[in-house]
Amino acid sequence: MTTRPPTPNAPAWIETLRWNDDGLIPAVVQDSTTGAVLMFAWMNREALVRSLATGQTHFYSRSRQALWHKGATSGHVQEIIELRVDCDADVLLVRVRQHGGACHEGYTSCFFRKLDGDRLIVDADRRFDPASVYL
Amino acid sequence: MTTRPPTPNAPAWIETLRWNDDGLIPAVVQDSTTGAVLMFAWMNREALVRSLATGQTHFYSRSRQALWHKGATSGHVQEIIELRVDCDADVLLVRVRQHGGACHEGYTSCFFRKLDGDRLIVDADRRFDPASVYL
């Protein structure tokens, strides 16, 4: 765990979070209406501060090494309804109102496959065509 | 992402998972009845294989560097009802029937605190006394 200097104007509770060695914290995103777990992503401190400031989820993309405003391209933004912190202060649970679908493959949730015996099956319907959203 | 030799007798779908450089995959645990997100932990391949074989969650403790059968000490085991995999095959969603509470601090869920203005507040009741469970 790394110790970092406080971010100016960040609320004190953010300083109690335990970021990993890369300065990231896992964020589980849940639909606040249906309870469906929509996706899992990482936030750095800036992503969290921006999420709080805008009321919409921002994450940190480890592959692109860049801040990422969820829905900026697709319009499928997530309005933050509630933010929760786990016992060890090293995981966030973000309860949201999801616009469109959370998954870039066109599904409401990224968890559209389930284990059925010894294989994975898709048991959800696509709610949008990815090709028409991500041009 | 690391490539590892197949585990004997492991179903083929496990080989499609993308483990991180430490051979771990994040697991979000959700109550299959209430939809509450209970906890977040990591699995290595052995934890996943044991979870599937026993029908109860097993994780890998990074701090203790050891396999961990959830509820082995407390009796608060998690029966696996459904296992889901995300679009990128690098996160698991484990839907369970939770016995007792998932959180070692005595709460049903580890996410017993929520952001209220600029501070975190506890908005859940303890369902057991940790001191009486973890002797």
Side-chain angles (χ1 to χ4, degrees), chain A residues 83-84 86 113 115 123, chain B residues 83-84 86 111 113 115 123:
Chain A
L83 188 72
R84 305 188 72 88
D86 82 335
R113 293 180 296 170
L115 186 61
D123 67 344
Chain B
L83 188 72
R84 306 188 70 89
D86 82 334
F111 298 92
R113 293 180 297 170
L115 186 62
D123 67 345

Side-chain angles (χ1 to χ4, degrees), chain A residues 32-124:
Chain A
S32 65
T33 306
T34 66
V37 175
L38 298 173
M39 55 179 281
F40 170 88
W42 295 85
M43 287 187 183
N44 62 3
R45 184 182 296 256
E46 187 181 355
L48 176 56
V49 169
R50 285 206 195 183
S51 295
L52 294 169
T54 63
Q56 296 189 347
T57 55
H58 290 63
F59 302 101
Y60 180 79
S61 167
R62 295 176 303 166
S63 55
R64 286 182 282 120
Q65 298 190 310
L67 207 70
W68 160 46
H69 175 200
K70 172 73 181 166
T73 304
S74 63
H76 298 170
V77 297
Q78 296 171 331
E79 288 178 59
I80 300 174
I81 304 298
E82 188 178 80
L83 188 72
R84 305 188 72 88
V85 178
D86 82 335
C87 45
D88 294 330
D90 60 2
V91 184
L92 301 175
L93 173 60
V94 191
R95 291 171 56 84
V96 305
R97 185 161 85 85
Q98 173 72 55
H99 293 247
C103 182
H104 70 289
E105 292 200 22
Y107 297 93
T108 300
S109 163
C110 292
F111 298 93
F112 56 82
R113 293 180 296 170
K114 74 169 181 181
L115 186 61
D116 182 26
D118 267 359
R119 64 200 185 97
L120 294 175
I121 62 167
V122 174
D123 67 344

Side-chain angles (χ1 to χ4, degrees), chain A residues 7-25:
Chain A
T7 306
N9 303 319
W13 73 271
I14 289 186
E15 309 307 329
T16 67
L17 294 178
R18 294 168 63 206
W19 310 82
N20 72 8
D21 289 342
D22 296 323
L24 303 177
I25 193 166

Side-chain angles (χ1 to χ4, degrees), chain A residues 13 17-18 25-30 37 39-41 82-95, chain B residues 26-31 34-42 59 70 78 92-94 98 101-115 120-126:
Chain A
W13 73 271
L17 294 178
R18 294 168 63 206
I25 193 166
V28 178
V29 183
Q30 182 180 33
V37 175
M39 55 179 281
F40 170 88
E82 188 178 80
L83 188 72
R84 305 188 72 88
V85 178
D86 82 335
C87 45
D88 294 330
D90 60 2
V91 184
L92 301 175
L93 173 60
V94 191
R95 291 171 56 84
Chain B
V28 178
V29 183
Q30 182 180 33
D31 188 300
T34 67
V37 175
L38 298 173
M39 56 178 280
F40 170 87
W42 296 85
F59 302 101
K70 172 72 182 167
Q78 297 170 331
L92 301 176
L93 173 61
V94 192
Q98 173 71 54
C103 183
H104 70 287
E105 293 200 23
Y107 297 92
T108 300
S109 164
C110 293
F111 298 92
F112 56 82
R113 293 180 297 170
K114 73 169 182 182
L115 186 62
L120 294 175
I121 61 165
V122 174
D123 67 345
D125 294 325
R126 273 211 169 89

